[in-house]
Amino acid sequence: MISKLVLATSNQGKLREFEDYFRDFPLTIALKPSNLEVEETGTSFRDNAILKATQVASALGEWALADDSGLMVDGLGGAPGIYSARYAPTPQQCIERVLKELEGESRRRAQFVCAVAVASGDGELVLFAEGICEGEILTELRGNDGFGYDPIFFVPEYDQTFAEMSRDLKNKISHRGLALAKILPELKALIKLS
């Protein structure tokens, strides 16, 4: 019986977000131990998500879920991409770097990409999905919620940045929400079968 799912992250913000998605599941959601580090050596979001899920599952002998996500900006040739979280020392400096590099650039289309992988307790990849949310980068910050690049990522269809959206709306339309929507039914079926 699958009763626990370990998130291959130490990020409390991600834990809160994932708890929203899994609130109807008979699962305990936990963060990986902070001393269990997985080096992200992959060259794509997919590679890194699979690497983190399988390594954490193997190390702990428990089911694990990992996501790897980031911002890809057309005017920056797809950067910051897989380096989104490490584009600068702090989240605020990451935003500042993107805005500075986009000064005078008219191509501000962007997309948030999320790859999600689930591995069983023996480290085998069981599920994988990817979600993409299209938007554009504003010239200044808007909104107070969310984390990372949320205050500058604007979704024209909703006339809001991620940082202005309600949690429910963001969870529904975000790259992470779209990726999870693809695997949650399969994960629910696996839980029932185990």
Side-chain angles (χ1 to χ4, degrees), residues 79-186:
I82 62 170
Y83 305 105
S84 293
R86 304 181 296 279
Y87 209 49
T90 69
Q92 183 59 39
Q93 289 171 320
C94 286
I95 289 174
E96 289 166 4
R97 180 174 175 187
V98 166
L99 292 179
K100 181 154 187 51
E101 290 178 350
L102 280 174
E103 282 176 7
E105 175 60 65
S106 59
R107 294 174 303 136
R108 300 183 81 88
R109 278 197 57 235
Q111 58 183 13
F112 261 126
V113 178
C114 178
V116 177
V118 176
S120 60
D122 57 4
E124 290 296 313
L125 178 68
V126 178
L127 298 171
F128 176 82
E130 197 168 69
I132 296 172
C133 182
E134 303 279 349
E136 56 192 58
I137 302 301
L138 297 179
T139 55
E140 57 190 35
L141 284 68
R142 279 182 29 190
N144 300 311
D145 290 328
F147 56 93
Y149 298 95
D150 288 0
I152 59 170
F153 186 77
F154 180 75
V155 184
E157 185 181 345
Y158 294 92
D159 195 34
Q160 295 178 68
T161 65
F162 271 1
E164 293 174 303
M165 291 180 182
S166 69
R167 258 169 72 169
D168 284 346
L169 177 57
K170 182 186 171 193
N171 287 348
K172 183 178 163 190
I173 70 154
S174 76
H175 51 308
R176 188 168 291 115
L178 295 172
L180 284 169
K182 294 175 185 175
I183 65 163
L184 288 181
E186 294 176 69

